[in-house]
Amino acid sequence: MTTSSSFDDLAERSRELLALIESAGSLDELRQSEPVLIGKRSPLAAWQKSLGSLDAAQRAEAGARLQDVRRQVQTALAHRREVLERRARDERAAQDRLDLGDVVVRSVSAPLRAGHPGLVATTQRELEDVFVAMGFTVVEGPEVETDWYNFEALNIPPAHPARGMWDTFYVDLGEPETVVLRTHTSPTQVHLMEAAVAEGTLPIHAVAPGRCFRRDTPDARHLAVFHQIEGLVVDRDVTFADMAGVIETFTRAYFGPDITSRLRPAYFPFTEPSAEFEITCTICRGAGCRTCSSTGWIELGGCGMVDPAVFEAVGIDVEHWQGFAFGFGIDRCAQMRFGIADMRALVENDVRFVGQFS
Ligand code: DAH
C-alpha cells in the first residue's frame, strides 16, 4: 500500500484500500489492517493533511472526493466486520453443537430401535377395520361428559339404582351441572343422534372407540382407565336379528372362524330388549376352563335395541326409526385374543411384555 498524498491516484489507491478490506479473512486480520485503513498513518490521513497545501478551489474539490472515499472505506469496513462476525458465530455454534443422537447411541452402545404402537392401540385399529369393512364409520366422542350425556339421555335418571352399574369419577369444574369422566362409550350414541337430527343426516351406522373411566380398583380383569368400542345403527326396519348378525360377523372376523357368539338376556337402561353377548372362551376353545368358570363362554359386552326413551331424549321419531347398539371392551378383546392373564400388563409398560406385540 502506497501512502502517497497525491490526489492524482486517489481513485486507484482507494480501490486498493477497499480490496484490502475485502481480503481480510478474519476479524483479527481486519483489526490489524485498521491503522493502514483509517489510522494516523493511513493514506486517508495523509490526503487529509495535504489538503492544506492546495488552493481553495482545488481543496474544495479534493475535499469532497476524499470525503467520498472515507465514506466508502467506512461502509466497506462495517460490512466486512459484520460478515466476519457472522462467520465466527457460525463456526463457534458448529463447534459447540452437542449431538445428542451421538451421545445416546454411544452410551447404550447398541443401535436405536424404533418403537411401535401398544397392544390396545393396535387392537382398537383392528376392531375399527372389521367394522369399516361392514360399512360402519368410525367417530370419537369426548372423554369428559355432563351427567346428561353419560346418564340422563341414556334413560338413567338421577338416583336411579341403575347408576350403581357404573362407578363414576366426578369432575369439579365449579359448574352447576354434574360433570363426569365418561364411564362408558355409550354417551357417544347421544352425540351421534343429536348431530344427525340437527343436520338431517339419519340413518347412522357408526362405531365409536375410546377411553373410559371407572372408580374401580385395578385387578386381573379391571382397570380404572380402559377402552370400549360402541356401535350404533339407526335406520328403518332394523331388527334384533340384524344386531345378532353384526355381532356374529364381527366375532368370527376378529377372533377367527372357530369362535362364535351368543346372546343372553340382560338389562341396560338404554336398550330394550337388552342382551349380554358372550364369545367362545378363547383359552379353552369352549371346552371349559378356569378363565371361563367352566362355561366355555366369556362375556364381551352389552347390546340391545335402542330404548324409545333414548330416541325421545334426542328427538328421533320412534314411529319411523329403529336402532340397535352394542358396546364392549377393547382391552378385554386384546386379553381374549392373546390369552393375557392379567390386564394390568397392558398399562405397566414392561418392555418384555410390550415387545411381544410389535
Ligand atoms: N355401556 C354399557 C357398559 O359399559 C355396555 C353397553 C350395553 C353398550 C348395551 C351398549 C348397549 O351400546 O346397547 O356397561
Side-chain angles (χ1 to χ4, degrees):
M1 172 72 46
T2 347
T3 50
S4 154
S5 56
S6 146
F7 283 91
D8 303 336
D9 56 1
L10 185 64
E12 196 185 324
R13 293 282 161 271
S14 69
R15 268 197 298 279
E16 282 175 20
L17 289 177
L18 295 176
L20 183 65
I21 293 171
E22 271 316 296
S23 70
S26 68
L27 284 168
D28 266 351
E29 254 181 76
L30 192 64
R31 221 168 289 125
Q32 275 159 23
S33 35
E34 262 173 31
V36 185
L37 293 165
I38 47 173
K40 284 201 192 102
R41 271 191 263 277
S42 68
L44 285 172
W47 280 317
Q48 182 68 34
K49 220 178 279 163
S50 61
L51 278 179
S53 59
L54 301 175
D55 63 40
Q58 283 177 321
R59 197 187 307 144
E61 197 246 319
R65 283 172 61 204
L66 182 56
Q67 187 55 24
D68 196 37
V69 171
R70 186 176 285 123
R71 213 175 295 126
Q72 282 181 36
V73 168
Q74 264 152 5
T75 308
L77 252 180
H79 178 254
R80 190 67 192 156
R81 198 176 292 127
E82 210 174 281
V83 168
L84 293 172
E85 274 170 359
R86 194 178 323 123
R87 190 184 293 171
R89 231 183 358 255
D90 289 350
E91 278 168 11
R92 235 178 297 127
Q95 274 168 9
D96 290 353
R97 186 169 164 272
L98 181 60
D99 188 340
L100 289 177
D102 202 33
V103 172
V104 172
V105 170
R106 266 198 261 109
S107 68
V108 299
S109 65
L112 285 175
R113 281 172 302 158
H116 57 84
L119 181 57
V120 176
T122 312
T123 305
Q124 176 176 324
R125 211 151 305 145
E126 285 172 6
L127 293 172
E128 288 171 10
D129 284 349
V130 170
F131 285 107
V132 166
M134 291 162 79
F136 287 76
T137 54
V138 180
V139 299
E140 273 183 50
E143 292 175 358
V144 182
E145 294 280 19
T146 58
D147 192 89
W148 161 259
Y149 286 100
N150 199 78
F151 293 122
E152 276 191 60
L154 291 167
N155 197 29
I156 316 168
H160 192 281
R163 289 207 180 201
M165 293 162 82
W166 294 276
D167 288 320
T168 313
F169 284 116
Y170 292 88
V171 182
D172 185 0
L173 297 178
E175 307 267 325
E177 246 176 323
T178 304
V179 178
V180 301
L181 296 184
R182 68 175 174 188
T183 57
H184 49 178
T185 43
S186 300
T188 313
Q189 287 188 37
V190 181
H191 289 289
L192 274 166
M193 290 189 274
E194 280 182 346
V197 168
E199 290 154 25
T201 52
L202 285 169
I204 298 168
H205 303 85
V207 288
R211 208 177 275 137
C212 304
F213 311 82
R214 286 189 205 170
R215 221 167 52 80
D216 270 343
T217 305
D219 64 24
R221 290 189 304 130
H222 299 91
L223 295 171
V225 180
F226 58 103
H227 302 77
Q228 288 190 337
I229 185 163
E230 191 80 13
L232 176 70
V233 170
V234 178
D235 209 334
R236 305 202 191 263
D237 305 322
V238 178
T239 69
F240 198 86
D242 294 320
M243 182 192 80
V246 165
I247 287 173
E248 177 66 8
T249 308
F250 148 74
T251 301
R252 287 167 184 271
Y254 181 72
F255 289 101
D258 60 330
I259 303 292
T260 185
S261 66
R262 74 173 184 183
L263 302 178
R264 304 215 302 161
Y267 169 73
F268 295 101
F270 33 92
T271 40
E272 183 59 37
S274 303
E276 267 166 9
F277 76 90
E278 301 183 333
I279 60 164
T280 318
C281 176
T282 56
I283 310 291
C284 62
R285 304 268 140 184
C289 65
R290 260 186 27 214
T291 306
C292 60
S293 309
S294 305
T295 62
W297 296 93
I298 293 281
E299 188 201 325
L300 207 61
C303 57
M305 302 305 290
V306 178
D307 194 293
V310 177
F311 277 153
E312 269 157 32
V314 297
I316 289 182
D317 182 354
V318 296
E319 295 300 320
H320 291 98
W321 299 96
Q322 299 87 44
F324 64 81
F326 54 86
F328 55 90
I330 295 175
D331 320 73
R332 178 65 64 83
C333 282
Q335 189 179 25
M336 283 301 115
R337 174 101 169 247
F338 295 100
I340 296 162
D342 193 322
M343 275 225 316
R344 286 170 290 194
L346 293 174
V347 291
E348 279 167 353
N349 279 339
D350 183 334
V351 288
R352 290 167 302 180
F353 172 80
V354 173
Q356 297 174 70
F357 306 103
S358 58

